[in-house]
Amino acid sequence: MAEHFDLAIVGGGPAGQAAAIALQGLDLSIAVIDEQAQPGGQILRQPPAQFAVRLWLPGRAYDRLKAQTEHFGRLDRVSWLGRHTVIEIARDGAHFALLTENALGVRAITADRVLIAAGCQDLAVPLAGWTLPGVYTAGAIQAFVKSQQYVPGERIVLAGTHPLQLLIAAQIVAAGGTVAEVLFAQPISAMFRAVLTKPLVGLRGSGNMLAAAAALRILRRAGVPVSFGSALQRIEGESRVTHVILASGRRIACDTVGLNYGFVPQSLLPRMMGAKVRPAGAAGGFAAVHDEWMRSSLPGLYVAGETTGVAGAPASQAEGELAGVGIGLDAGWIDMAEAGRQTRRARSRHRHLQAFARLLDTVANPLPWFPVPEDDTIICRCEDVDYATLAAQSGGGSANAVKLITRCGMGPCQGRNCEPSLLRMLDDRGLTSDPGFTQRFPARPIPVSELADPG
Amino acid sequence: MSKTDVLIIGGGLIGCATALHLARAGASVRLVEAGDINAGASGQNAGSLHFQMERRFLENGAALADQAARIIALNRLAIDEWRGLEVDLGVDLHVSQKGGLMVAETPEQVALLEAKSRREISGGLATQLLDGDAARALCPALGPDVLAASYLADEGHADPRALTPAFAHAAAEAGAVISTRQHVLSITRRSPGGFDVAAKKGDEMETLQADQIFVAAGAWTPAVCALANLHIPLFPVALLMNATERTGPILPQLIQHVGRRLSMKQAYAGNVIIGGGWPSRLAQRPDGGFDLNARASIIPLSRSGNLRAAIDIVPQIGALNLIRSWTGVTTISADQLPIAGAVSRVPGFYVAAGGSAFTLGPTFARLIARVMGGERVEALDVLSPDRFNHLNSFMG
């Protein structure tokens, strides 16, 4: 018999936590499901309990989130299902049936309402050499550093268009690592121009601006060069990365590369369920569509945080708060006047943060700066489908049609990594509104025996 | 305005293959497809090449089984068709005809296998009955519960992703004009013969004139035929399929079950494909009836039952990761046999749909093309749409 909850929240990051906190004091059973062992999401990736990490995530930007995580940990009636992966969410009569998996096997849960706050993931960017050992997304390197103070490499190059790589570089330096160089593909003038068109918005996002400035100071002190207008062209090496080559022809020796061209929403679960999504922006991916109370297009299903578009942790917190109150409102636990009162501040915060997020999107816009893959560059890593094969196929037909012909997106990751690359190729050919791959069960690979009838 | 001898509606396996045969025979051919080529059941099925009588024909009584036995002649044609297909099309279709085993786990199922085999042998299909150990000698992955199996050396599997595009490509080379994302809006009969068809692509309307129409639109066939004021009694069926991660070679043969819903094979890339006729739930329209344009949803009991059957027969499947479950929508007729041939109520109107059309589709296409060319083809009589002629007494 499946365990039943009034509400299931997928994701224990800033948004999921904020939703649970917004509902505190009401007599509700809430399950919060997360792939990580401990709450906090990617932004607060916690070290394992048995690790003592000195000065874990110092800095004001993290303090608010740490406080929220602490608050979240004190909530009654919240069941924390850490290390659980959601395999499926399906409508089952009046409620939702969730299938989750952990080390012990499959666990079925039912819930009257579901909030998906699954965060975002690094955009995978194919270029020559990107499948060599030693190439990571910058976010993956950051996750190592945050959770275990582990720096995966001796000499790291960060490359891309997203300003976050400044922070990541500073964190690597603080953890004792060596950053060879931070490369921005776009010229600095393009970044300034974007900020100057919206100076007020830039000012409101001053927390982020200050964090970037602080990171730049750390990098300067450590002698880490930061270059602009320096587009990555190839990554080279035999059995591992030994250097990168820029479009200018310049060569930088390194054993590790972190790519940082942006982030895409984790919207696989809403898409599997048939909730409405929209193209998320220049970096690609799809964002779940919602109304002012974070209701998705499906009754009973709510979405919040970066599943609805990448806008940073504070915006996710605000959306989580709105979702929590919205859920309370719909269930009749909170009345409209109270709901309005409770969310006034979150709403105004959200508006400002969204404006800043749009500005950041312009500053970080990767579209003009993506490296051009070579013919034999692998685009779909699960199925080894290269660029030339896709280029020959993507002249007509949908992403699903190309998938069927080439196997691109048919592997264990279900297209999570290659879908944005393929959609950009279709886009270049004028097929601009492709809905992407049909998202199939299971959300993560799972042993056949765990799904089979016990017999 | 386009004017051709033949207009084919449906860019699946049968439509594309028929376009090829007609174009090769010298006809001018236009094919319209509402979505993409191979987007329906032709590309979504599990790729079995199965020629033994199916479980579904055996479990509903002797009368139905007798009738189904008449399809054996078509199966024999299909075996030869598949043997020549890769050479004919010049494309690697990943055809593997390394045999098929239909397994039994209980004495009752063994009796069913024996009865089935008798029918097949009298129809000229050389199935062989094996005991459990002999079956395991052929396919060591089979588990200890397999009591017996009937073996047919010609069975196997092929790649549904490759076949229809290969037919479409060859048809275009032979002169057929194929357009995708073009929707047929109306079908009007002309006097004294032929048809006017209105079609829409994007915002562009086009009139397509043809002497003959061939509808091969899978589950959408009844709706397309309704545009010609005809009943084609086919019912949509949503079937579940599952794919594991890739693994080393473990299953050379096609595996089916005589008493349970199960088909299993290892595709060329190494993934094990598990199906066998477990239902998914078709989407419903708010005003009643099924919505074929919305995604069918998986029934958890189908999934767990299908995977249980797979593990019972090939235990090592249990340790593999499942990476994908999906649903394909096919159709079934009142007597379970496909519908393929001329609709005599409306001269010049032909149709083919109704399931089993991966294994038999290339053969249907070859025969239909001959019928449309004016030949009498006895092998298709058993599938004639005219067996449901009474439904069209007041139609047309």
Side-chain angles (χ1 to χ4, degrees), chain A residues 10 42 116-124 162 261-272 276-290 303-312 316 319 354 357 361 366 413-417 419-420 423 439 444:
Chain A
V10 181
Q42 295 299 344
I116 299 176
C120 70
Q121 67 172 53
D122 288 76
L123 173 69
H162 203 284
Y261 290 83
F263 301 88
V264 292
Q266 293 258 22
S267 52
L268 174 97
L269 289 168
R271 288 172 72 191
M272 266 175 81
K276 215 163 148 189
V277 295
R278 60 174 174 85
F286 295 92
V289 168
H290 58 83
V303 288
E306 300 200 319
T307 293
T308 73
V310 178
S316 294
E319 287 195 358
Q354 283 292 336
D361 283 347
C413 96
Q414 287 230 36
R416 248 188 291 278
N417 291 308
E419 188 188 49
L423 290 182
Q439 301 293 309
R444 297 278 191 273

Side-chain angles (χ1 to χ4, degrees), chain A residues 383 404 410 441 446 448 453, chain B residues 161 246 308 322 324-325:
Chain A
E383 296 289 334
L404 199 59
M410 274 194 159
F441 174 90
I446 175 170
V448 170
D453 188 273
Chain B
R161 300 181 306 104
R246 296 176 182 218
R308 178 79 261 155
L322 181 86
R324 187 165 52 256
S325 297

